Amino acid sequence: MTNTEEQQFLTDLEKKLWNAADKLRSTLDAAQYKHAVLGLVFIKYVSDAFKIRQDELIAAFNNSDSDYFLDPEDFGGADSAQYQEELAVELEQRDYYLETNTFWVPTQARWSFLQDNNKTVIGGAELPIGNDKTIKITSVGHLIDNALDAIEVANPKLKGVLNKQYTRLQIDQVKLAELIDLIATIPFVHASLNSKDILGHVYEYMLGQFALAEGKKGGQFYTPKSIVSLMVQMMEPFKGRVYDPAMGSGGFFVQSEHFINAHKGKIGDVSIYGQEYNHTTWQLASMNMAIRGIDFNFGKEPANTYTNDQHPDLRADFVMANPPFNMKEWDVGVSDDDPRWAYGTPPSGNANFAWLQHMLYHTAPNGSVGLLLANGSMSSNTNNEGAIRKALIEQDLVECMVALPGQLFTNTQIPACIWFLTKNKNARVSASGRQLTDRRGKVLFIDARNLGYMKDRVLRDFTQTDLDQVTATFHNWQQASDYQDTAGFCASVDLAGITKHDFVLTPGRYVGAEAAEDDGELFADKMARLTTQLKSQFSESERLEAQIKQNLKGLGYEI
C-alpha cells in the first residue's frame, strides 16, 4: 500500500541491510548475526530520531519567537563559551525529548559516538562522555555492549530485552567496525514514510530473511499490513485493554496506534498486553513499543501461551491475533480440563480452537475478539472441532466471518479467514462512541475473496478502498444503518439459518452468487443461441481433429 517511490526506497534499504548481514555471514551463523545486525540497526534508529529532536531544539533555542529561546545576550553573546556551555546543558535536558515522545539516548549510546570511536577502541581506549567523565572501552564489541547497557539503564522498560553479546562474538574487530560504518549509511528519514514504520519494515524484512537463512520451514507467518489494518479498523480499539497472545513483533499494537492517532484519540487511553514464545521476536516487540513511547506489558519473559500464560488474570476489551495456522502438538503439558476450554477440548493435532478459546477466556464481558485462522476452522468436523464451533454459535459469540482472497501471505499459501467474536451483542455504545443495535441471534458473513489486486506475480494485497468497503459493511450492520444484503458479498443470517447448514461458517454458503448483469435477452432465446453456438463449435472441433489426423498421416504417423 505504498507508492512506487516509497517502495523503491524500501527496496534499496533492504539491499543495504542484507549487505550489512553479509559482512558477518562468513564468521557467524545466522542466529548470531541476526542479533548483531538488528542490535546495531536499533541503535542507529533511536540515534537518528534523537538527533532530529536535538536539531529541532537547537533551532528553537535560537529563535526569538520560540518559547524555548535562549537569549545569547544573557550569556555574553552567541560566540561566548558561556553561551555554548549553556546551550549544551539545555540540549541534555531529558524532559525536552520526553515531551515529544522521543526515545532518550545517553551520550555513549548515540550513533555519532560509536562511529567516531569504532576505530579508536580497537585494542582499547579511554573515552570522554561529558561532565569530565570517561569510560574505558576494550574493543569494538565492548563499545556496542556499553551503548546497549546505557540505553537499558536510561529506559527501564527495556531491561533484559537488548542483546548485549557483542563482546563475546568471535569476530574480527575491524570487520565489526566496518559494519558500524555500513549501517551508518542506512536512512531512517523519508519525506512521506514515518521513520518508525521504516524501522518496522526493517525488522520484518530482516526476520524473514534470517528465518530463510536459518533453514526454518513454516513457523511464523507475518501478517500482511493490510489485514492487520482491516482488523483494527473493524474493531476500533480506542479505549481499554488490548491483548495479543501471539504478538510477533507487535504489528497489531502498531496499527492500533496509527488508528488512534488518525482518529484524534489518545494512545494513553489504551493499555497494551502481549505474549510471544520466540525470544528474538519478543525482544523486537518490546523495542517496537519503547521507541513509540507506548506503555506495554509483555510479561516477564518470552513464554508458551498455553503452558506459561503471562497474563492469567487479564480480561481485555480487544483481543487480536494471527497465531500460527493449524499448529500441531501444542497441548504438551496442558490439561484437558483447563478452564479455558469452556466450549470443548481442542484436538492435539490442531491448535486453531485452542487459540480461539484462549482469547475468549481473556476477553472482558463487553469485549471483542478478532482472529485470523485457516479456512478449515470454518467447516472442519474432525476431532471435536465441529462440536466446539457449534457451541460457540449456540452461545451467540460469533459476530462476523470474513473470507479472504488467496495469495496474501509471503510464506504460506494456506487460505485464511477472520473470525470476529463478541461477548455482548446487546444494544450499547461502542468504545469509539458508535451506537450499536441489538444483534443477538445474528451473524454477518462477508465474502471478500474477490477484493484486492495482484501487487506482483505471486502476492495479492488490498487497497484502502477495499478495506473501507469491508469495514463500512460491518459497522453499518452493527448499527442497522444503510446495511443491506448484497448477493456474492455479504449476508446477515440468523442462528436458525446457520443450523440448517450444520454450523458451517463459510461465507460463500450464505452470501450466494453475485447477480449477473441483465442484458435484456430472454432466457429461452439465450439458451437457443448458446446451444446453436456450442453445436457449431463442436463441428469445428471435429473438422480440426480430422485435419490434424490427415496431416499426421502424410508425415507417416497413424493415430
Side-chain angles (χ1 to χ4, degrees):
M1 295 176 58
T2 55
N3 63 39
T4 304
E5 189 277 328
E6 290 172 343
Q7 189 56 54
Q8 187 59 52
F9 171 84
L10 294 174
T11 300
D12 293 342
L13 180 61
E14 290 170 358
K15 289 177 182 176
K16 259 180 189 176
L17 289 166
W18 204 239
N19 286 339
D22 272 333
K23 283 278 182 186
L24 302 176
R25 201 182 311 223
S26 61
T27 53
L28 298 175
D29 63 37
Q32 286 182 301
Y33 68 69
K34 168 170 59 183
H35 293 292
V37 173
L38 288 175
L40 282 170
V41 167
F42 175 71
I43 297 174
K44 175 66 164 60
Y45 168 77
V46 295
S47 296
D48 280 7
F50 185 87
K51 182 66 167 58
I52 289 170
R53 177 56 180 163
Q54 199 170 57
D55 289 343
E56 289 173 353
L57 289 171
I58 292 171
F61 291 146
N62 285 286
N63 183 355
S64 58
D65 294 328
S66 167
D67 293 338
Y68 295 93
F69 180 54
L70 202 62
D71 193 341
E73 299 307 316
D74 294 340
F75 303 95
D79 297 327
S80 69
Q82 185 183 1
Y83 175 73
Q84 294 301 322
E85 184 178 326
E86 185 64 25
L87 188 62
V89 169
E90 288 296 308
L91 285 173
E92 294 300 318
Q93 297 303 307
R94 186 168 180 166
D95 286 347
Y96 288 136
Y97 300 87
L98 297 183
E99 67 187 13
T100 57
N101 227 19
T102 302
F103 191 92
W104 174 258
V105 185
T107 302
Q108 63 264 44
R110 294 170 195 168
W111 193 262
S112 56
F113 186 84
L114 266 63
Q115 200 170 8
D116 289 345
N117 295 293
N118 62 341
K119 306 293 194 305
T120 308
V121 297
I122 295 175
E126 195 155 322
L127 306 176
I129 57 171
N131 296 326
D132 297 323
K133 292 182 180 178
T134 61
I135 51 171
K136 187 174 182 180
I137 299 295
T138 58
S139 65
V140 180
H142 185 203
L143 179 73
I144 301 169
D145 281 342
N146 180 73
L148 293 169
D149 188 54
I151 289 173
E152 273 196 2
V153 170
N155 301 274
K157 271 284 186 182
L158 291 178
K159 184 173 176 59
V161 168
L162 304 179
N163 270 304
K164 297 172 288 184
Q165 300 178 0
Y166 289 84
T167 306
R168 285 174 280 177
L169 290 177
Q170 300 299 310
I171 185 172
D172 181 3
Q173 293 292 293
V174 173
K175 186 165 281 194
L176 198 52
E178 288 174 357
L179 180 62
I180 290 175
D181 288 338
L182 177 60
I183 290 178
T185 66
I186 296 175
F188 283 105
V189 180
H190 186 270
S192 56
L193 289 170
N194 184 294
S195 58
K196 293 173 183 176
D197 292 331
I198 296 173
L199 179 67
H201 180 87
V202 166
Y203 280 150
E204 289 299 306
Y205 169 77
M206 294 300 277
L207 282 177
Q209 292 299 311
F210 286 131
L212 292 172
E214 292 170 29
K216 291 181 179 176
K217 304 294 182 185
Q220 298 181 37
F221 299 151
Y222 299 111
T223 320
K225 183 181 175 183
S226 59
I227 299 302
V228 179
S229 297
L230 176 63
M231 294 172 69
V232 170
Q233 279 185 199
M234 292 175 73
M235 296 182 72
E236 298 184 309
F238 265 109
K239 293 181 181 178
R241 293 149 296 188
V242 180
Y243 171 53
D244 184 345
M247 66 184 181
S249 56
F252 279 108
F253 304 134
V254 171
Q255 287 305 314
S256 296
E257 180 204 22
H258 289 334
F259 178 83
I260 292 167
N261 290 338
H263 291 79
K264 312 302 180 188
K266 297 178 181 177
I267 193 65
D269 289 341
V270 171
S271 300
I272 298 296
Y273 297 85
Q275 180 154 349
E276 172 58 39
Y277 181 73
N278 181 284
H279 187 266
T280 299
T281 317
W282 180 81
Q283 291 173 306
L284 294 177
S286 300
M287 288 187 264
N288 217 351
M289 297 302 103
I291 63 173
R292 295 172 186 275
I294 299 175
D295 193 29
F296 64 95
N297 182 344
F298 292 162
K300 65 180 186 296
E301 60 188 352
N304 184 305
T305 301
Y306 297 118
T307 57
N308 190 4
D309 190 347
Q310 294 289 293
H311 309 286
D313 301 320
L314 174 65
R315 298 297 179 267
D317 302 289
F318 303 95
V319 186
M320 300 180 280
N322 171 27
F325 292 167
N326 305 325
M327 196 168 109
K328 303 181 186 303
E329 299 176 1
W330 58 272
D331 59 341
V332 176
V334 182
S335 172
D336 284 349
D337 58 1
D338 190 296
R340 290 173 289 185
W341 315 148
Y343 308 98
T345 304
S348 296
N350 196 317
N352 287 342
F353 284 98
W355 286 111
L356 195 152
Q357 291 191 83
H358 172 88
M359 292 169 73
L360 277 172
Y361 178 81
H362 283 290
T363 303
N366 286 327
S368 55
V369 172
L371 174 62
L372 195 66
L373 284 179
N375 274 359
S377 62
M378 298 188 289
S379 58
S380 172
N381 286 313
T382 58
N383 299 321
N384 210 37
E385 290 184 337
I388 296 172
R389 189 172 56 254
K390 177 183 176 183
L392 294 169
I393 295 167
E394 290 179 335
Q395 291 296 313
D396 206 12
L397 293 165
V398 182
E399 183 171 28
C400 178
M401 299 296 301
V402 179
L404 298 172
Q407 296 178 270
L408 286 172
F409 296 86
T410 55
N411 55 348
T412 178
Q413 292 302 310
I414 299 174
C417 62
I418 310 175
W419 290 63
F420 291 98
L421 304 100
T422 182
K423 287 192 172 181
N424 184 0
K425 288 186 183 178
N426 289 296
R428 60 187 175 91
V429 177
S430 72
S432 61
R434 290 188 301 106
Q435 180 60 57
L436 307 181
T437 191
D438 186 343
R439 297 150 353 264
R440 286 177 293 178
K442 297 176 183 176
V443 176
L444 176 65
F445 291 92
I446 299 177
D447 191 341
R449 289 177 297 171
N450 292 324
L451 298 184
Y453 68 101
M454 294 303 295
K455 62 189 295 186
D456 54 38
R457 289 185 298 109
V458 294
L459 276 180
R460 195 174 188 86
D461 201 357
F462 283 129
T463 65
Q464 187 58 49
T465 301
D466 296 327
L467 304 185
D468 291 343
Q469 180 185 353
V470 176
T471 300
T473 300
F474 179 53
H475 289 170
N476 290 344
W477 175 80
Q478 285 184 314
Q479 298 174 121
S481 169
D482 297 326
Y483 171 82
Q484 62 179 10
D485 289 354
T486 303
F489 179 64
C490 63
S492 180
V493 183
D494 60 23
L495 297 188
I498 298 173
T499 302
K500 287 179 184 177
H501 284 276
D502 297 323
F503 302 97
V504 169
L505 292 175
T506 306
R509 291 262 185 130
Y510 303 96
V511 303
E514 186 176 358
E517 184 177 342
D518 184 5
D519 57 8
E521 186 177 10
L522 294 175
F523 176 76
D525 293 341
K526 181 178 286 189
M527 279 302 294
R529 178 176 58 80
L530 292 175
T531 302
T532 301
Q533 183 179 332
L534 184 62
K535 184 178 179 180
S536 172
Q537 289 171 343
F538 281 155
S539 297
E540 179 65 9
S541 174
E542 290 174 1
R543 186 188 69 79
L544 291 172
E545 183 181 349
Q547 183 65 52
I548 291 170
K549 287 180 178 179
Q550 185 65 33
N551 291 343
L552 287 172
K553 187 175 181 181
L555 294 171
Y557 296 96
E558 191 84 40
I559 60 170

